[in-house]
């Protein structure tokens, strides 16, 4: 039995974790998904893949250890583009019972099929390493929305009455303002999906948007009806990339 060299430590509902996980799936890489359970309630780094901040995702690749979802995504792209990993080459030859994460409650390795229907070898085909100003702004705003959402959800899990605090109400406002910015920029947001500079039918920015939107929807965090163009864009990405739905919160944890 082979043990995947790649291990993604996360939780199935983590939208930050879903971003690099979706890339692993699109590249059809073999990896172990280590579910640490309720990350908000972790008390030591060892419960969260040794992340000192007790957050997920964490990626392990052999002896390599990495935190921060977008850095992990870039690292995955480099592994693939450098030829170090392909959908059949990233398994170690022997199984190992040296599981340093045996306090985690679920580990299953998966090898995925599917993808976005394009198998060519273009470098950085999902445009993870973009330098495009709009892409970077959109991704920064999406990360900010996700961060503020997590603050409120995590506080709720610690029984904090979030609506009584202006700090958390500002988080809600930040999420709504961020969504409005994305909605206002929906033309740019949807257009680059079909950009000729990428051979793939979707980009990492599209993945990011789907992870953000479906997480907000799953947690019913704010009403999403004021952002119809975002819904349209998300539906369109999902239509073009069915692989993404494997990691949808509604699929991994049906309500
Ligand atoms: N900037 C980090 C954010 C990671 C993050 O906040 N992850 C959430 C899960 S979606 C978490 O671990 N939260 C636990 C907590 O804040 O207590 C990244 O992109 O990886």
């Amino acid at each position: 039995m082979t043990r995947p060299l790649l291990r993604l430590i996360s939780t199935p509902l983590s939208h930050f974790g879903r971003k690099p996980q979706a890339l692993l799936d699109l590249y059809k890489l073999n990896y172990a998904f280590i579910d640490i359970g309720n990350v908000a309630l972790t008390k030591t780094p060892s419960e969260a893949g040794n992340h000192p901040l007790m957050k997920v995702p964490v990626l392990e690749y052999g002896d390599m250890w990495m935190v921060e979802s977008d850095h992990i995504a870039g690292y995955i792209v480099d592994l693939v583009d450098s030829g170090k990993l392909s959908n059949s080459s990233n398994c170690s030859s022997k199984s190992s019972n040296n599981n340093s994460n045996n306090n985690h409650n679920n580990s299953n390795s998966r090898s995925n099929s599917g993808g976005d229907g394009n198998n060519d070898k273009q470098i950085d085909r999902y445009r993870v390493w973009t330098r495009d100003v709009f892409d970077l702004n959109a991704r920064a705003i999406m990360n900010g929305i996700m961060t503020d959402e997590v603050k409120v959800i995590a506080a709720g899990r610690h029984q904090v009455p979030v609506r009584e605090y202006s700090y958390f109400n500002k988080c809600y406002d930040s999420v709504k303002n961020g969504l409005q910015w994305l909605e206002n920029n929906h033309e740019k947001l949807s257009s680059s999906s079909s950009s000729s500079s990428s051979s793939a039918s979707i980009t990492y920015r599209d993945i990011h948007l789907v992870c953000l939107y479906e997480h907000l929807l799953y947690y019913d965090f704010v009403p999403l009806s004021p952002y119809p163009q975002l819904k349209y864009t998300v539906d369109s990405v999902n239509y073009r990339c069915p692989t993404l739905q494997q990691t949808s919160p509604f699929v991994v944890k049906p309500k």
Side-chain angles (χ1 to χ4, degrees):
M1 190 174 153
T2 57
R3 176 179 189 259
L5 281 177
L6 276 173
R7 289 155 54 86
L8 185 68
I9 296 150
S10 188
T11 72
L13 289 179
S14 166
H15 44 8
F16 283 110
R18 191 180 171 198
K19 290 187 287 171
Q21 191 184 2
L23 266 188
L24 292 168
D25 290 343
L26 284 164
Y27 281 125
K28 301 179 193 169
L29 298 174
N30 186 41
Y31 64 97
F33 184 87
I34 315 294
D35 177 4
I36 67 158
N38 191 341
V39 64
L41 303 184
T42 51
K43 292 196 169 68
T44 62
S46 65
E47 293 174 75
N50 297 316
H51 194 321
L53 308 182
M54 292 168 278
K55 293 186 190 302
V56 293
V58 173
L59 183 78
E60 291 175 358
Y61 173 59
D63 293 337
M64 196 286 310
W65 173 92
M66 185 178 240
V67 298
E68 198 64 29
S69 55
D70 293 337
H71 297 180
I72 292 172
Y75 188 82
I76 292 167
V77 170
D78 287 350
L79 282 177
V80 172
D81 288 348
S82 65
K84 289 191 181 126
L85 281 187
S86 67
N87 56 4
S88 58
S89 67
N90 63 327
C91 292
S92 60
S93 54
K94 287 187 183 146
S95 65
S96 165
N97 54 12
N98 178 22
N99 184 353
S100 59
N101 295 293
N102 57 7
N103 55 334
H104 299 305
N105 57 11
N106 183 24
S107 166
N108 62 311
S109 98
R110 48 173 92 174
S111 179
N112 294 287
S113 60
D116 65 356
N118 190 326
N119 291 318
D120 76 18
K121 300 279 185 233
Q122 188 192 23
I123 296 294
D124 192 16
R125 57 196 301 248
Y126 300 106
R127 290 171 47 198
V128 172
W129 288 110
T130 182
R131 292 186 182 185
D132 178 88
V133 171
F134 176 76
D135 275 6
L136 292 172
N137 282 341
R139 279 169 47 177
I141 286 166
M142 289 193 279
N143 275 330
I145 291 172
M146 288 158 65
T147 300
D148 281 337
E149 184 199 10
V150 165
K151 281 181 198 161
V152 174
I153 291 174
R157 288 184 185 166
H158 288 277
Q159 279 76 51
V160 176
V162 289
R163 283 299 193 183
E164 293 173 21
Y165 290 91
S166 56
Y167 174 80
F168 292 110
N169 284 317
K170 186 172 178 186
C171 290
Y172 276 108
D173 287 343
S174 145
V175 169
K176 287 190 238 172
N177 294 341
L179 288 170
Q180 193 58 58
W181 186 90
L182 295 168
E183 178 78 5
N184 294 347
N185 286 281
H186 74 270
E187 282 180 10
K188 282 188 191 167
L189 206 58
S190 56
S191 66
S192 66
S193 299
S194 54
S195 162
S196 57
S197 64
S198 171
S199 67
S201 66
I202 63 156
T203 66
Y204 185 64
R205 200 194 62 209
D206 295 326
I207 294 169
H208 203 149
L209 178 66
V210 171
C211 295
L212 168 143
Y213 187 92
E214 291 183 344
H215 196 268
L216 290 167
L217 190 65
Y218 185 87
Y219 282 97
D220 199 12
F221 191 77
V222 288
L224 293 173
S225 52
Y227 319 105
Q229 297 299 333
L230 287 190
K231 178 180 175 358
Y232 180 81
T233 307
V234 166
D235 288 348
S236 155
V237 173
N238 277 327
Y239 178 76
R240 281 176 285 130
C241 184
T243 302
L244 258 184
Q245 281 313 291
Q246 287 174 202
T247 48
S248 158
F250 296 97
V251 171
V252 295
K253 285 258 163 110
K255 278 197 160 177

